[in-house]
Amino acid sequence: MGCNRNCGLIAGAVIGAVLAVFGGILMPVGDMLIEKTIKKEVALEEGTTAYKNWVTTGTEVYRQFWIFDVQNPDEVAINSSNVKLKQRGPYTYRVRYLAKDNITQDPLTNTVSFVQPNGAIFEPSLSVGSENDTFTILNLAVAAAPHLYPNAFVQVLLNSLIKKSKSSMFQRRTVKELLWGYKDPFLSLVPYPIATTVGVFFPYNNTADGVYQVFNGKDDISKVGIINTYKGERTLGYWSDYCDLINGTDAATFPPFVEKTRVLEFFSSDICRSIYAVFAEELNLKGINVYRFVLPPKAFASPVQNPDNHCFCTDREISNNCTFFGVLDISKCKEGKPVILSLPHLLHASPEIAETLEGLNPNEEEHKTYLDVEPITGFTLRFAKRLQVNILVKPAKKIDALKGLKRNYIVPILWLNETGTIGTEKAEMFKSQVTGKINLLGTVEMVLLSVGVVMFVAFMISYCACRSKTAK
């Protein structure tokens, strides 16, 4: 009887040890299986989970616009007063709903090429008004004239055309005209062939961004999604030194197994440069664990604050001898037009820039850019890209509409918030196909290990106690 009991206790301890060992072995084996599966599913080739969501985004993406309505146009033009601004919006459009086009796999370089068609559909139910709402905004053509034609004699000729067209420093335009283009009366009088349609995003509809060539990850998963060339080049031609390089992905996806210490690099044609995001916090998005990465202030810092940004300073006069921060002069990217980008409401920008403006209220939570990335796959499941379009306006003695100015202005035109979040149905599918299986495997590993250890310890203690009792 004692032997049977002892044998049973030993058998229980052995079973517990086997379960614990099996659970321990399953951990590295399971991790290997997970890694193998993820590597297969995130490659950009037909049949994979990543490819399906890459060709056509499974997320509805919206671009919201807030327009800065100028309240005192005459005071600014005549007396060089501060510009009083009133934000109105959002005016919302659905974007990025078109599938990637001209997709071509190159097995020799393990890359895939494509273009991203552009399109925007107005969403009245998500907007405060219609596309025909009218605002007082800067006259884009008049403001750009002295930058594009610095010669005094040419400016005299342009001034006569500006006056003839009855144009001034400011104008009234609808949302639709401002965003997507209007025929400018001043430019229409120029006696030689030039583009006469003006708009912040003109042309947009029926155009395409690219050609992009990105690594498909078939030979090296750590390079999946990383841009090899853009429009056939590895550099942009706008900046000097390493600032001109095209780095990282397009931010829709990153190489898998993202760690919190990783700096996520990505290229955005909207801002004409590569940029990066750093880890901020860990969040739960519809039951999925994600890492939030944000654009740090350092990315738009002045060369004085961050020497790595020295090659983004292209005009020492505009940048106050390269000391201004929080703004990016992209005029070289815009054919010489004086376009200055910033975060909304000049968030993290030099205080001096806002000294000529009234009505701005920068807010970190509302105006920051972030990416919520699922760390195992590297998929971006939620994002908010926020930026502001400003125009540099300089005094011009030969142009009547601008000769009243006594200082430079960086005048905000609008700011945008492009957002996308994985839908509930897609999130459930993602959990069942990816994170659910991984979590289940992890649970099985821990249960086997825990039960095994508990059984082994319990049966061994019982066995020792029984042996002690028998000996007495």
Side-chain angles (χ1 to χ4, degrees), residues 328-355:
L328 181 68
D329 175 11
I330 62 166
S331 55
K332 285 189 177 180
C333 174
K334 299 299 179 183
E335 301 173 324
K337 300 178 184 72
V339 181
I340 307 288
L341 296 183
S342 69
L343 292 177
H345 288 247
L346 296 175
L347 177 68
H348 301 316
S350 297
E352 304 96 305
I353 298 171
E355 286 178 356

Side-chain angles (χ1 to χ4, degrees), residues 419-433:
T419 58
T421 304
I422 187 171
T424 302
E425 187 178 333
K426 285 278 185 180
E428 292 301 320
M429 189 184 302
F430 186 87
K431 284 189 287 186
S432 66
Q433 293 180 354

Side-chain angles (χ1 to χ4, degrees), residues 304-316:
V304 176
Q305 300 165 315
N306 180 12
D308 290 343
N309 285 350
H310 74 91
C311 38
F312 288 119
C313 180
T314 56
D315 189 316
R316 301 187 77 86

Side-chain angles (χ1 to χ4, degrees), residues 389-458:
V389 178
N390 312 275
I391 299 293
L392 174 67
V393 186
K394 299 168 70 173
K397 293 180 180 179
K398 303 297 182 181
I399 297 177
D400 290 353
L402 302 174
K403 71 179 183 181
L405 302 181
K406 298 178 177 63
R407 49 187 171 168
N408 291 347
Y409 290 80
I410 293 180
V411 181
I413 305 298
L414 58 83
W415 71 273
L416 65 86
N417 175 30
E418 185 171 302
T419 58
T421 304
I422 187 171
T424 302
E425 187 178 333
K426 285 278 185 180
E428 292 301 320
M429 189 184 302
F430 186 87
K431 284 189 287 186
S432 66
Q433 293 180 354
V434 183
T435 56
K437 293 179 181 179
I438 294 170
N439 292 337
L440 177 61
L441 182 59
T443 301
V444 171
E445 291 170 355
M446 292 307 297
V447 167
L448 287 175
L449 186 61
S450 301
V451 170
V453 169
V454 169
M455 283 181 66
F456 178 77
V457 172

Side-chain angles (χ1 to χ4, degrees), residues 212-215 222-230 234 245-255 263-268 273-276:
Y212 288 88
Q213 184 189 68
V214 305
F215 292 103
S222 68
K223 294 167 66 176
V224 66
I226 291 176
I227 299 168
N228 184 39
T229 62
Y230 175 67
R234 287 195 170 95
L245 295 174
I246 298 165
N247 299 319
T249 72
D250 64 355
T253 183
F254 295 92
V263 174
L264 299 185
E265 293 185 308
F266 57 96
F267 167 71
S268 172
R273 63 165 283 189
S274 300
I275 201 162
Y276 58 91

